[in-house]
Amino acid sequence: MIHSVYSEKDVFLRELISNASDALDKLRLEAYQDKDLDADASDLHIELRPDAEARTLTIADNGIGMSRAEVVDLIGTLAKSGTGELRRKLEAAKQAKEQGASAELIGQFGIGFYSAFMVADRVTLVTRKAGEDTATRWESEGHGTYTVTDLTGEDVPAQHGTTITLHLRAADGDESLHDYASPHVLRTVVRRYSDFIAFPIRLVLPASEAADDAGEDEAAGAEKAGPETLNSMQALWARPKDEVSAEEYADFYRHISHAFDEPLETIAFRAEGTFEYQALLFIPTMPPFDMFYRNTKPGPALYVKRVFIMDHCEALLPPYLRFVAGVVDAQDLSLNVSREILQNDRHLVMIRKRLVKRVLQTVSAMRENEREKYDTFWTAFGAVLKEGLLDDQDNRETLLKASAFESTFSETGTTSLAEYVSRMPEAQDAIYYAAGDSRTRLESSPHLEAFAAKGFEVLLLTDQVDELWTPGAEFDGKRFVSVAKGEADLGDETPDAEGFEPLTEWLATTLDDKVSGVRLTSRLTTSAACLVGGEFDLTPQLEAMYRASGQEVPRTRRTLELNPENDLVQSLRDRVAAAETPADDETLTDAAEILYGTAVLAEGGAVADPAEFAAVLARQLGRSLS
């Protein structure tokens, strides 16, 4: 059953250390409440005693210990924990505001003791309860039975507490069963799962092994004087922010994120009330190398009462905040019995909402008060943050306010939507934008000509996600309108189509497989033509994105708009009007293809058949030079 509950064998040590930490907390509480208790609470600690020769690992604590009845009730009955009653006592003590008793109990994880059988074929437990003169030994090989023996006289340990000795199975790489008698392995496991336990976890080696270990593990130091404390006990999130230096935060950020940069912003807060948790989050300065990898695992590390649960808790932050690193330490969560899988929990939903709100508040505050820092943030993470405009409807307004965009009104830097709206002329009722793969291409697009001529500001959106969130988006009651879609409504009169009907009809017939129609436009001032999509049509960029992801979509035929003031368009009008059968004039047919192809190229697109377009262009050049 234990093997089916746990996915990693290393967690047995986390479970046993957690139980030991629980016992130490219980003793501290009992000693506080009962001044006559015969117990020494001056040096509460946990010891790990590996013995490579005997193939054993001993985990010992000088905590509250257990009576025989408690051993039978708590250890002999699978998955039962005695922490629940103690927690109720602590709650009463908390309400009375008594000082000195810690509420940092691990508790609630009774099945954890049995995880020892993942790595051991025999487990011996010896425990003596504080204030009692007798002790109890419990022993089992994990086959469904156990023996309990009363210890008296010289067999009783001199100190209260619990000692668990694991007779280890042989290491097996294929089974991910490490050598838990190795000091190096113990250091690694403790630092991963139990680094922030409030009590010191000490490694005690036999004298015969201490010298060898000092030589093998340089990180531990060449000379060891006595036991080695393995855990830092420095849970920065549990300390007031004004007591932690920026350097300490930076070191911790690099420790948990495995990054080398400095945190751009540190977010530390504590939530109190019916459900308590602490959070310490970091916004990096540089994007993580795997930020756009498909198998990236987002989310901060999750702890429950300083006990490590999982590295990346995806339920705590949405994917568009996957660059945020940090730690969330909750007082209570609905975990499964192995503490490796979160159950559906309303508390998780509450935490997630609060974390998202705090991160977005921090970004908005950076924008308002620290523009240079915000610009660094936006350059690194703006494209990811805008994914939330697509997925997070609850925070869409906040995200829009916190976002920044390049604009035709500024050659460098960015503008906010609030700034854009404040500059809008009275006659403008929409937020105009152009989407593409680079600012340079967008600025040279024929779609911007009339907007620039009339002084209308256009946002230049160059991230792929912009193609997805802008349709239907609104800000401050103003809808987003693409300059490359629909008929341009810039306050001009509709161009007079008189005399152009033969041209537009002929072009529509000649380019029938490429365009949905041909019309005159006031959108252009210098270019001869441009291509315009319908309001709900896929853009060429979106089509390319779908194809790149393996989804074949039909090519969208867009409308070809003509500039009636352009010399080329006027010449074509005259030639078509003069020709008896324009469809039989190869020169006109080639001119139509070139007109369409240049419209595609002008907006940064690619013609469907470059070789054919080059041949048509060469023929037309040859005629002009002959």
Side-chain angles (χ1 to χ4, degrees):
M1 191 278 294
I2 289 297
H3 286 279
S4 69
V5 167
Y6 292 95
S7 60
E8 293 185 35
K9 294 180 173 60
D10 287 352
V11 299
F12 87 92
L13 192 57
R14 175 191 73 182
E15 298 295 307
L16 297 183
I17 288 175
S18 296
N19 290 343
S21 175
D22 185 4
L24 296 174
D25 252 326
K26 289 178 180 179
L27 177 68
R28 187 158 56 184
L29 177 64
E30 290 294 330
Y32 171 75
Q33 293 179 334
D34 183 0
K35 303 302 182 183
D36 297 326
L37 180 66
D38 183 16
D40 181 7
S42 62
D43 181 27
L44 300 178
H45 64 275
I46 302 165
E47 289 187 359
L48 304 183
R49 305 172 193 156
D51 189 328
E53 184 176 345
R55 294 294 304 150
T56 62
L57 171 64
T58 299
I59 300 96
D61 67 73
N62 57 344
I64 190 66
M66 291 179 284
S67 65
R68 176 191 172 93
E70 289 171 331
V71 169
V72 173
D73 188 38
L74 302 179
I75 302 297
T77 304
L78 186 63
K80 185 168 182 179
S81 171
T83 312
E85 183 179 352
L86 180 65
R87 284 169 57 82
R88 288 190 290 273
K89 291 181 181 179
L90 277 177
E91 184 62 29
K94 180 180 178 181
Q95 292 175 359
K97 296 184 179 181
E98 296 181 11
Q99 302 297 318
S102 170
E104 297 297 320
L105 295 178
I106 306 305
Q108 311 180 83
F109 309 117
I111 200 170
F113 171 79
Y114 279 85
S115 64
F117 287 101
M118 290 192 297
V119 301
D121 51 26
R122 183 158 56 96
V123 176
T124 302
L125 175 146
V126 175
T127 182
R128 174 193 157 199
K129 187 163 186 176
E132 296 186 359
D133 297 328
T134 60
T136 304
R137 177 190 289 118
W138 180 98
E139 191 167 15
S140 175
E141 295 183 355
H143 298 315
T145 61
Y146 61 87
T147 60
V148 177
T149 306
D150 294 329
L151 302 180
T152 57
E154 296 181 355
D155 295 330
V156 176
Q159 191 175 42
H160 51 77
T162 301
T163 300
I164 302 171
T165 301
L166 312 183
H167 297 265
L168 299 170
R169 296 160 53 195
D172 187 343
D174 293 337
E175 295 289 332
S176 298
L177 183 62
H178 302 129
D179 181 6
Y180 297 104
S182 163
H184 172 71
V185 171
L186 295 177
R187 291 187 187 98
T188 300
V189 175
V190 168
R191 287 167 186 165
R192 172 174 172 76
Y193 289 104
S194 307
D195 194 44
F196 305 116
I197 291 291
F199 302 99
I201 303 170
R202 296 168 183 168
L203 178 64
V204 181
L205 300 177
S208 60
E209 295 182 21
D212 293 339
D213 177 61
E216 290 176 2
D217 197 327
E218 295 180 2
E223 295 290 338
K224 292 189 181 67
E228 172 191 356
T229 299
L230 302 182
N231 59 322
S232 68
M233 295 175 285
Q234 296 297 313
L236 292 189
W237 61 83
R239 294 164 55 187
K241 192 172 183 179
D242 55 3
E243 294 181 8
V244 183
S245 68
E247 185 176 352
E248 286 180 298
Y249 276 136
D251 288 342
F252 184 72
Y253 158 72
R254 286 188 285 266
H255 168 69
I256 62 172
S257 65
H258 309 291
F260 300 97
D261 59 324
E262 297 284 325
L264 186 67
E265 194 68 42
T266 300
I267 307 170
F269 66 95
R270 176 194 300 265
E272 297 180 339
T274 56
F275 179 69
E276 297 183 5
Y277 62 93
Q278 297 161 313
L280 177 57
L281 305 178
F282 301 95
I283 297 177
T285 302
M286 299 169 56
F289 75 92
D290 60 348
M291 189 166 69
F292 290 102
Y293 284 13
R294 180 176 296 180
N295 59 351
T296 296
K297 294 182 178 180
L302 176 66
Y303 286 74
V304 173
K305 299 182 179 67
R306 299 195 186 186
V307 178
F308 176 81
I309 302 300
M310 62 179 68
D311 250 332
H312 301 283
C313 183
E314 298 181 35
L316 290 175
L317 283 177
Y320 71 85
L321 294 179
R322 59 184 174 273
F323 54 86
V324 176
V327 167
V328 173
D329 187 1
Q331 293 304 299
D332 188 16
L333 281 177
S334 298
L335 306 174
N336 71 345
V337 290
S338 67
R339 289 190 289 170
E340 294 176 312
I341 303 171
L342 287 164
Q343 308 294 328
N344 292 328
D345 193 320
R346 64 184 181 87
H347 292 146
L348 272 181
V349 177
M350 295 166 52
I351 296 176
R352 179 187 175 105
K353 287 182 177 180
R354 181 73 181 276
L355 295 184
V356 171
K357 182 179 180 181
R358 288 300 294 263
V359 172
L360 296 184
Q361 285 177 341
T362 301
V363 172
S364 298
M366 273 196 291
R367 175 162 187 83
E368 294 295 325
N369 306 317
E370 300 175 280
R371 190 57 180 264
E372 185 175 347
K373 181 186 287 188
Y374 173 83
D375 290 341
T376 299
F377 164 82
W378 190 255
T379 300
F381 307 111
V384 180
L385 193 75
K386 283 191 286 185
E387 292 176 12
L389 295 172
L390 188 64
D391 301 328
D392 190 351
Q393 297 300 317
D394 291 340
N395 291 297
R396 198 176 207 195
E397 190 72 16
T398 303
L399 283 164
L400 285 171
K401 290 179 180 178
S403 297
F405 307 91
E406 292 184 274
S407 160
T408 54
F409 272 28
S410 59
E411 294 184 3
T412 59
T414 57
T415 186
S416 69
L417 290 177
E419 292 166 342
Y420 178 99
V421 171
S422 70
R423 294 191 292 262
M424 287 172 53
E426 288 186 13
Q428 184 179 346
D429 61 358
I431 297 172
Y432 295 120
Y433 72 91
D437 57 6
S438 73
R439 178 178 182 131
T440 301
R441 287 187 176 181
L442 289 176
E443 287 179 324
S444 60
S445 170
H447 296 117
L448 296 183
E449 291 177 6
F451 291 88
K454 292 185 173 296
F456 287 129
E457 183 176 6
V458 179
L459 300 178
L460 305 175
L461 310 182
T462 57
D463 295 315
Q464 288 186 337
V465 69
D466 293 324
E467 298 274 7
L468 301 173
W469 68 263
T470 44
E474 289 188 3
F475 178 79
D476 195 22
K478 310 292 191 299
R479 65 191 184 96
F480 283 71
V481 173
S482 171
V483 298
K485 286 189 175 184
E487 294 193 56
D489 182 13
L490 300 177
D492 293 323
E493 294 183 4
T494 304
D496 186 1
E498 184 177 355
F500 285 91
E501 292 92 338
L503 173 62
T504 56
E505 291 174 4
W506 172 74
L507 282 173
T509 301
T510 303
L511 301 173
D512 179 61
D513 61 332
K514 297 181 176 69
V515 301
S516 61
V518 181
R519 67 186 177 218
L520 301 184
T521 184
S522 59
R523 191 190 308 269
L524 303 172
T525 58
T526 57
S527 297
C530 69
L531 290 163
V532 177
E535 184 178 355
F536 303 106
D537 287 347
L538 291 179
T539 65
Q541 293 82 9
L542 264 182
E543 286 185 19
M545 286 169 56
Y546 281 120
R547 292 191 182 95
S549 65
Q551 302 181 57
E552 190 57 43
V553 294
R555 291 191 178 276
T556 302
R557 295 188 305 154
R558 294 179 290 160
T559 300
L560 181 67
E561 291 192 344
L562 305 179
N563 177 7
E565 304 299 325
N566 183 267
D567 291 341
L568 174 59
V569 174
Q570 292 178 354
S571 297
L572 277 172
R573 175 198 61 188
D574 298 340
R575 283 289 301 272
V576 170
E580 292 184 8
T581 54
D584 296 334
D585 189 334
E586 188 180 27
T587 300
L588 282 176
T589 303
D590 285 348
E593 293 291 345
I594 292 173
L595 184 67
Y596 171 80
T598 53
V600 172
L601 295 174
E603 67 181 12
V607 292
D609 190 342
E612 176 62 23
F613 181 74
V616 171
L617 187 60
R619 284 199 302 269
Q620 198 76 333
L621 285 173
R623 296 186 188 103
S624 66
L625 295 174
S626 61

